[in-house]
Amino acid sequence: GKMKPVIVVHGGAGRIFKEREEGSRAGVVRAVLQGYGILKQGGSALDAVEEAVRSMEDDPHFNAGCGSVLNEKGEVEMDAIIMDGKNLDSGAVSAVKCVANPIKLARLVMEKTKHMLLTDRGAHLFAQAMGVPQIPGEKLITERSRERWKKNLEPDSNPEEFQKDLGTVGAVAVDSEGNVACATSTGGLSNKLIGRVGDTACIGSGGYADNHSGATSTTGHGESIMKVVLARLILYHMEQGMSPEMAADTALDYMKARVGGLGGVIVVNSSGEWAARFSTKQMSWAAVEDGQLHYGIYAGERRTKSVDEALTSASGGF
């Protein structure tokens, strides 16, 4: 039988500064509507999550693609992952520079190589071989990222304070065939060591998708997420019979109790139930099911409007 497709996206968990709220909200809504457009025409969950994440990589409001934070040397190094729940195929890239859309590169790793993860120089050579356009690194750097990098270099600065405003982006979906997929992309931590790779590129931490249970994409403190293998932990709880919401909360509670880590997750199970949950102050998220758009940023906030209404009010009014 035909499934009703569902897609959920997040634009990162943490603290979203007041002046950026509007842009974050509009950005996740735009991304989820683009992904849903693919699903509605019978497209695959894989294509839908890639498209949604690409949309957010291109949006300077988020810490992924253009708008990524800078490492200690003032460069952008990005991580991304994509996974197909049908056969557990996955592709990931880490510490990549000078490409606009790491998620597209991750998809190519999945489909054009026998490997799952390419890093740094190897990922760069692979991108060249695949004809992926190289762009100057400066093209990915926003004024805001540079300002923050400079602030963090000051002797009395506290980068930890700024880390709360983390903008990893992600998407999960189930398509009309009942296949699930996830995708996650990030610029990582501001002023991180060169070569630091967080949870995003790691299967089971930054994302996981399995038709037998569901799909999830995570955001938050990468090192904490890796310690508990957060994405896979959530699916484990679902395999034990928990709802997506319960599984997400249980895993986030465990991460907080065990390693003091905060984060957020989006989840969809194989029958189309979904959740967007977070232990941070905020997380921008949006979801579409049954022609209804849901979205929010604050705990307990869930705004709803019809997809048709959202499409006609195009960019404004979120």
Side-chain angles (χ1 to χ4, degrees):
K2 285 285 188 204
M3 279 278 306
K4 273 187 295 218
V6 177
I7 181 167
V8 192
V9 308
H10 70 73
R15 185 184 58 190
I16 297 161
F17 295 107
K18 263 283 176 266
E19 75 275 6
R20 303 183 59 73
E21 233 179 68
E22 202 63 22
S24 294
R25 226 184 267 278
V28 289
V29 167
R30 191 180 310 117
V32 86
L33 290 173
Q34 288 183 354
Y36 187 66
I38 290 174
L39 293 174
K40 213 171 78 170
Q41 290 156 10
S44 70
L46 207 55
D47 287 344
V49 295
E50 181 187 1
E51 178 56 28
V53 165
R54 183 207 55 76
S55 169
M56 291 183 284
E57 286 177 341
D58 291 345
D59 185 330
H61 281 95
F62 303 109
N63 173 18
C66 177
S68 288
V69 297
L70 311 185
N71 67 13
E72 55 177 352
K73 286 283 185 284
E75 306 166 324
V76 165
E77 287 185 321
M78 301 167 291
D79 308 328
I81 193 166
I82 193 166
M83 187 167 182
D84 183 347
K86 194 165 35 197
N87 48 17
L88 308 189
D89 277 351
S90 181
V93 292
S94 66
V96 295
K97 304 178 185 73
C98 305
V99 295
N101 298 110
I103 199 64
K104 289 185 166 178
L105 197 53
R107 175 91 186 251
L108 286 168
V109 170
M110 176 171 90
E111 292 185 341
K112 305 290 184 196
T113 77
K114 291 193 173 72
H115 306 312
M116 273 171 55
L117 172 60
L118 291 181
T119 194
D120 197 354
R121 190 172 127 71
H124 175 82
L125 293 171
F126 174 67
Q128 280 181 323
M130 290 288 114
V132 174
Q134 301 288 307
I135 59 166
E138 306 79 76
K139 273 247 165 68
L140 298 170
I141 298 177
T142 58
E143 197 43 51
R144 176 170 179 262
S145 294
R146 199 180 291 285
E147 284 302 297
R148 174 195 286 196
W149 173 71
K150 282 202 192 112
K151 264 212 186 71
N152 286 342
L153 290 177
E154 290 164 13
D156 57 349
S157 86
N158 175 14
E160 292 306 303
E161 207 21 61
F162 281 103
Q163 297 312 3
K164 296 196 179 96
D165 182 26
L166 297 162
T168 299
V169 305
V172 296
V174 57
D175 60 31
S176 56
E177 300 296 310
N179 294 312
V180 299
C182 70
T184 313
S185 180
T186 191
L189 289 180
S190 192
N191 296 62
K192 62 189 178 178
L193 294 181
I194 288 178
R196 179 265 187 187
V197 176
D199 64 295
T200 300
C202 301
I203 194 170
S205 293
Y208 203 82
D210 182 348
N211 281 6
H212 294 164
S213 44
T216 180
S217 168
T218 66
T219 168
H221 185 246
E223 282 71 15
S224 299
I225 290 169
M226 291 161 94
K227 286 174 185 174
V228 301
V229 199
L230 185 62
R232 191 66 191 83
L233 181 60
I234 292 166
L235 292 189
Y236 165 78
H237 287 315
M238 278 159 43
E239 287 157 4
Q240 305 301 302
M242 283 188 194
S243 70
E245 187 165 307
M246 183 80 186
D249 287 349
T250 304
L252 285 168
D253 287 349
Y254 176 74
M255 183 168 80
K256 192 172 175 180
R258 189 70 178 86
V259 298
L262 300 179
V265 300
I266 51 173
V267 193
V268 65
N269 71 12
S270 40
S271 48
E273 298 174 289
W274 60 276
R277 309 292 292 171
F278 47 100
S279 53
T280 51
K281 276 210 167 58
Q282 288 144 295
M283 178 178 81
S284 55
W285 64 271
V288 175
E289 63 169 341
D290 259 354
Q292 293 293 107
L293 164 72
H294 308 278
Y295 58 100
I297 285 187
Y298 294 96
E301 176 193 14
R302 180 156 161 183
R303 305 184 185 190
T304 300
K305 53 169 72 169
S306 77
V307 167
D308 297 340
E309 189 191 337
L311 287 170
T312 50
S313 66
S315 61
F318 302 111

